[in-house]
Amino acid sequence: MLRENPGQRSLKKNLMLASSTASVAGMTNVVGVIAFLSFVSNITGHVATLAGKITEQDIGEVYTVLYWLFMFFFGAFVSNFIVKSLDYRSTYVAHATPIVLEIVILLGVAFYGNDVGSMSDFQREAVTGAVLFCMGLQNGLVSRISGGLIKTSHLTGLVTDLAGELSDLLHPHVERTRELKDKIYIRFTVLAFFIIGGLLGGYLFGLIGMTTFFVIPFILSTILLYDIYPVLLHRLRKWWTA
């Protein structure tokens, strides 16, 4: 049997991470726009909105947008803090804990937001903040695991990096290394699965509404199972042959 080299294993892991988290970000963002009338996978638009609300002196909206910005920031902060705190015990536990926290919060959003039409503005804004916290958690964790290569909750930087790398690939004086090709492959994967996730999120929301938030944690669980599956399989074989 042929064995994968470390580079192939690393690429497979990054592709798994990129595809699953990008689809989650795409689904979450589209559902957030439909349900809460707000982008929830990134904060670029919220920064522009903040500047506009400050100009208009709309103090109430300024506080709301500041809250959303803080929740995304706090999610990334908590994710990094958890990883740093648990990494000495187990890398798997350190990486899995932020994902489990994200799953729990999104399940809470699914239950609490089931009757989104009857929510007050305050409730809708609070739930939007909770989802932004989840996206901050996810983006911080994925960026850390991939060494900054993968950021799945927004595409502006990704498209910029992809353009530069494609330029290098096609340039006659730049070496077409395996690393360069892998980066391009990963970035196309993120872009494709973000779009797929968005399409799926919009379609499911039209069918089942806020219940779509129950589907998103299921996708996140694939990340947990991908890493722990070989360990569980080994223990199962060991128990079976004992």
Side-chain angles (χ1 to χ4, degrees):
M1 181 182 291
L2 294 175
R3 291 188 178 182
E4 295 176 318
N5 62 47
Q8 289 174 319
R9 287 197 298 271
S10 177
L11 177 61
K12 283 182 65 176
K13 187 170 183 178
N14 280 332
L15 288 174
M16 176 64 185
L17 188 67
S19 58
S20 55
T21 55
S23 60
V24 165
M27 287 184 70
T28 305
N29 201 39
V30 168
V31 174
V33 170
I34 298 172
F36 310 125
L37 306 178
S38 177
F39 293 109
V40 292
S41 73
N42 63 82
I43 58 174
T44 306
H46 294 315
V47 173
T49 301
L50 176 64
K53 296 303 179 183
I54 292 174
T55 302
E56 296 168 6
Q57 298 184 354
D58 188 341
I59 303 302
E61 287 297 313
V62 168
Y63 286 145
T64 297
V65 178
L66 282 174
Y67 160 67
W68 288 344
L69 294 175
F70 172 76
M71 290 301 284
F72 189 94
F73 162 83
F74 190 53
F77 174 89
V78 169
S79 180
N80 187 72
F81 195 88
I82 288 173
V83 172
K84 284 282 189 180
S85 299
L86 298 178
D87 202 33
Y88 77 97
R89 293 180 55 189
S90 164
T91 300
Y92 177 79
V93 171
H95 292 169
T97 302
I99 296 175
V100 171
L101 180 58
E102 181 182 359
I103 288 172
V104 170
I105 294 173
L106 289 176
L107 288 174
V109 170
F111 281 112
Y112 185 75
N114 193 43
D115 194 14
V116 66
S118 63
M119 280 186 177
S120 66
D121 289 341
F122 175 79
Q123 290 173 315
R124 190 176 290 107
E125 290 161 1
V127 173
T128 300
V131 180
L132 279 163
F133 176 82
C134 288
M135 291 297 98
L137 270 174
Q138 176 178 300
N139 206 45
L141 177 65
V142 172
S143 179
R144 182 177 180 84
I145 292 174
S146 66
L149 175 62
I150 306 171
K151 294 182 177 69
T152 54
S153 68
H154 57 280
L155 301 180
T156 307
L158 179 142
V159 172
T160 303
D161 292 337
L162 178 59
E165 288 155 2
L166 282 173
S167 175
D168 286 343
L169 185 68
L170 298 174
H171 199 283
H173 301 306
V174 177
E175 184 182 358
R176 296 176 178 86
T177 63
R178 178 73 184 183
E179 181 183 3
L180 176 62
K181 293 177 181 178
D182 287 350
K183 284 183 178 180
I184 292 172
Y185 194 16
I186 289 168
R187 298 201 200 282
F188 270 121
T189 299
V190 172
L191 183 60
F193 276 87
F194 190 96
I195 295 171
I196 291 170
L199 292 171
L200 182 59
Y203 176 74
L204 288 176
F205 192 86
L207 291 178
I208 57 178
M210 287 294 289
T211 307
T212 306
F213 273 109
F214 287 109
V215 178
I216 297 172
F218 174 78
I219 298 173
L220 283 170
S221 67
T222 61
I223 304 171
L224 303 178
L225 292 174
Y226 179 80
D227 273 345
I228 203 171
Y229 170 75
V231 178
L232 292 176
L233 187 61
H234 173 72
R235 289 183 178 178
L236 182 61
R237 286 174 177 170
K238 191 175 181 180
W239 172 82
W240 183 259
T241 57

